[in-house]
Amino acid sequence: MLKTSARLEAFTESVIRSMTRLANKYQAINLSQGFPDFDPPEILLKSLERVAKDGPHQYSVTWGAANFRAALARKQSKFMGIELNPDENIVVTCGSTEAMMAAMMTVCDPGDKVAVFSPFYENYAADAILTGAEPIYVPLSPPDFTFKKEELRNAFKNGAKALVLCNPSNPSGKIFTKEELESIAMLAKEFDAYVITDEVYEHIVYAPHTHQYIAALPGMFERTISCGSLSKTYAITGWRLGYIIAPLAIINAARKVHDFLTVGAAAPLQEAAVTALEFPDSYYAELQHKYTGLKNTFLSYLDAAGLQYTKPQGAYYVLVDIRHLGWNDDVKFAEWLTKEIGVAGVPGSSFFREPVHHLIRFHFAKKQATLDAAGEKLMKLKKG
Ligand code: GLN
């Protein structure tokens, strides 16, 4: 029997995406895979129509169309507080998914070690393993998901060449404080390590919390590969537009990886999305307002159903505790909930390295009416 790559034995297919398939099969309300059920801004759809007629329809420059990079550099320079050069500091990728994989392949050789906070978005372990690197997990302990500095130090001591940092964090909704980021930065500098960020939720932040870009801390730009995306910010997850931001030496290496992985992100969609990158600041304020409303709606249903959870500080996920419902197997619970109650979430165990089987992740990037319908169904879980 011919064998496929042994690396693939070290991880399973995405549980998140399998829950979407299960939700579709049972016509459940899909609060598992995190994507909106509302449309992108109308002006963006108009822009897409225009591009359909006027093009471009052929490849762009592999590391991103010049006008897209220029608009992205302007926007990110403003939000990150770093002067970015569109010709030196950006590679446009097929979503942050490719950005993260390309970042990992850019800095790691087979046999290298990579520190990953646990819980983590499931792609990171796969990214490390497919690169031939070995993840070292550093726990973020519920309910507040803080890390012990000593444990992170140990990961670097044990040879981690890079740390993966998802901030705001999927699945926990944690936003790392400035103090936490400073202590991560101190260790990265002490051990001369890279930080690979996933900051796709940079604009989904709940007051009084604020998002601090680790690349903007003193001495960090040169060792940080900031990965981001337009997916969540403009509700265009299907457009697959992401990017890597880093200093030129890293960008030159990342361009090579990206070129051979995918050649480039879709040229027509880059052209159409320039409009979004030029939105005024009020767009981002309204986005926060919208998501704050959706979060409050969903959390009030969880409260009404008597469910315990950790309050999200950012991103659009919430981890819900199922212990009081008498379940000790989150995978079975998630299946039952999808089939019998009609709401799909993701078993928490797929995000944890540790044996955690009492959490379910729901997302609330959904229309108010969808959340109302899901909330009503979740009321069936109310005890007594
Ligand atoms: N980030 C989303 C989630 O965690 C899914 C992204 C994806 O499936 N590519 O649910």
Side-chain angles (χ1 to χ4, degrees), residues 98-99 101-103 105 254-264:
E98 188 213 331
M101 176 68 86
M105 294 177 87
R255 278 177 183 171
K256 286 198 258 180
V257 178
H258 161 73
D259 188 6
F260 287 107
L261 271 178
T262 62
V263 179

Side-chain angles (χ1 to χ4, degrees), residues 2 4 52 87 97 134 137 186 190 200 218 220 246-247 335 366 375 382:
L2 280 174
T4 53
D87 296 322
T97 299
E134 186 196 327
Y137 295 96
M186 213 151 82
E190 182 184 333
V200 300
M220 285 307 288
E335 281 170 13
K366 289 284 179 257
K382 196 172 164 67

